Amino acid sequence: MLIETQDDVTRAVLDEMHRTPDARTKELLASLVRHLHAFIRETRLTEKEFQETIGIINAIGQKTTPSHNEAMLIAGALGVSNLVCLMNNGRKGTRPTQANNLGPFFREGAPHYENGASLLRSPTPGPKLSFKGYVKDLDGKPVAGAVVDVWHSSPVGLYENQDPAQAEMNLRGKLTTEADGSFSFQTVKPAGYPVPTDGPTGALLRAQKRHNFRPAHLHFLVHKPGYKTMASQVYDPADPRLETDSQFGVTRALIGDFVKDGDAYRFEFTFVLEPGESWRPRAPITHKVAAA
Ligand SMILES: [Fe+2]
């Protein structure tokens, strides 16, 4: 159709989509166009603001490297990652769930450890943490043979991929659940950490006068054919930023219970898997940052 005024633009774009053969692609793109155009009309977006927005989107891509995923980071900072997660888990968003954002720091290829082993691959000072997890199904039966990826930040708040001082794959590992559904490892207690602010996510947080911290947590990815793969994070109940997580990841179901035992900590947590597709999400990064 020929466009006369701004009123015609949405119709013209939607009309040109009618040949899209894939029904889901058609649905997603049509909805995106309707909402994007409605956003522009509602905010009366100016030409200058449009140019700035294009610059931000380009900068998200330009900031992304094999060791940093800026798109994943800003999706978290906008609450998009956790909304997608909570809508697709907990029986399609109707119940609380232990599923949580995969986050920007998951890497494939972590070493496989025996239960009870240490995740430390280079000296990592900090309070010791002994973790024991259980994987169960919706009926409370143990799930044996599930592969659990674990990764977390150091006690100074850096993942190994961000920190040339840590060995490759430090504080990352893969464990397999035993007949009783349990898995366990030794590590050091992670600290809350600042997310990187040298890209568009940092600009967003500064513009909104938000802090850039995440409360202390451990990441898990639980995978077994026959069950819906679950990415999860379990949070330190003592962290002061549980309600202002810069990535909106914290949910009530994921606040753990760190038990202090002398200078060390013990921590147990049970993950409940739902039936569903056992897919492996694509790792948002592939490499460790190069030493300077
Ligand atoms: Fe994290």
Side-chain angles (χ1 to χ4, degrees):
M1 67 180 266
L2 203 54
I3 295 167
E4 302 281 350
T5 71
Q6 64 92 8
D7 291 329
D8 303 328
V9 178
T10 307
R11 180 75 193 281
V13 178
L14 292 174
D15 279 0
E16 278 304 296
M17 291 182 163
H18 73 274
R19 284 179 296 274
T20 309
D22 183 76
R24 180 62 174 161
T25 303
K26 193 174 180 179
E27 180 189 3
L28 289 172
L29 290 175
S31 179
L32 178 69
V33 166
R34 282 196 303 271
H35 285 272
L36 204 51
H37 289 206
F39 162 77
I40 291 161
R41 291 195 171 96
E42 181 184 312
T43 60
R44 302 220 53 103
L45 196 76
T46 67
E47 289 157 299
K48 205 172 150 195
E49 287 164 343
F50 171 63
Q51 287 210 327
E52 284 169 12
T53 306
I54 293 293
I56 291 165
I57 292 168
N58 287 338
I60 291 168
Q62 286 154 359
K63 197 75 205 160
T64 297
T65 68
S67 64
H68 176 76
N69 192 320
E70 186 73 17
M72 190 69 109
L73 190 64
I74 204 161
L78 291 168
V80 170
S81 309
N82 209 21
L83 177 57
V84 172
C85 173
L86 295 179
M87 274 185 39
N88 283 283
N89 290 281
R91 303 185 209 183
K92 299 206 182 299
T94 60
R95 310 268 172 92
T97 174
Q98 294 163 324
N100 206 218
N101 304 343
L102 182 68
F105 297 128
F106 170 60
R107 288 181 70 186
E108 285 287 5
H112 214 137
Y113 291 117
E114 295 294 316
N115 282 309
S118 168
L119 303 184
L120 273 62
R121 293 174 77 82
S122 55
T124 316
K128 290 189 177 5
L129 173 65
S130 176
F131 184 91
K132 182 149 193 181
Y134 294 89
V135 180
K136 295 186 173 170
D137 67 14
L138 285 176
D139 299 324
K141 294 202 187 79
V143 176
V147 175
V148 183
D149 269 90
V150 183
W151 66 104
H152 66 83
S153 68
S154 71
V156 298
L158 287 171
Y159 287 82
E160 57 85 32
N161 58 287
Q162 302 172 296
D163 183 6
Q166 291 182 55
E168 177 85 1
M169 294 290 173
N170 192 42
L171 311 182
R172 295 178 187 266
K174 256 184 221 295
L175 302 132
T176 303
T177 58
E178 309 279 355
D180 65 351
S182 72
F183 67 99
S184 58
F185 55 88
Q186 307 295 319
T187 189
V188 283
K189 190 169 179 280
Y193 59 84
V195 300
T197 52
D198 56 350
T201 308
L204 170 80
L205 296 174
R206 282 189 295 277
Q208 297 177 327
K209 299 227 179 291
R210 286 164 57 188
H211 70 71
N212 64 319
F213 275 79
R214 295 221 61 218
H217 57 273
L218 295 114
H219 289 266
F220 299 88
L221 180 66
V222 188
H223 182 265
K224 169 150 186 186
Y227 297 92
K228 190 171 191 309
T229 299
M230 182 192 274
S232 188
Q233 302 182 39
V234 182
Y235 296 89
D236 181 349
D239 196 291
R241 298 188 181 95
L242 290 173
E243 293 184 26
T244 59
D245 179 3
S246 62
Q247 291 276 299
F248 300 104
V250 182
T251 61
R252 198 177 293 282
L254 292 173
I255 299 172
D257 186 17
F258 285 74
V259 178
K260 199 158 180 354
D261 188 358
D263 292 335
Y265 290 83
R266 281 184 291 112
F267 189 10
E268 288 195 2
F269 200 81
T270 300
F271 299 93
V272 179
L273 297 184
E274 299 180 30
E277 190 188 353
S278 60
W279 65 296
R280 274 195 86 78
R282 184 191 303 175
I285 54 167
T286 54
H287 285 76
K288 182 173 169 61
V289 71

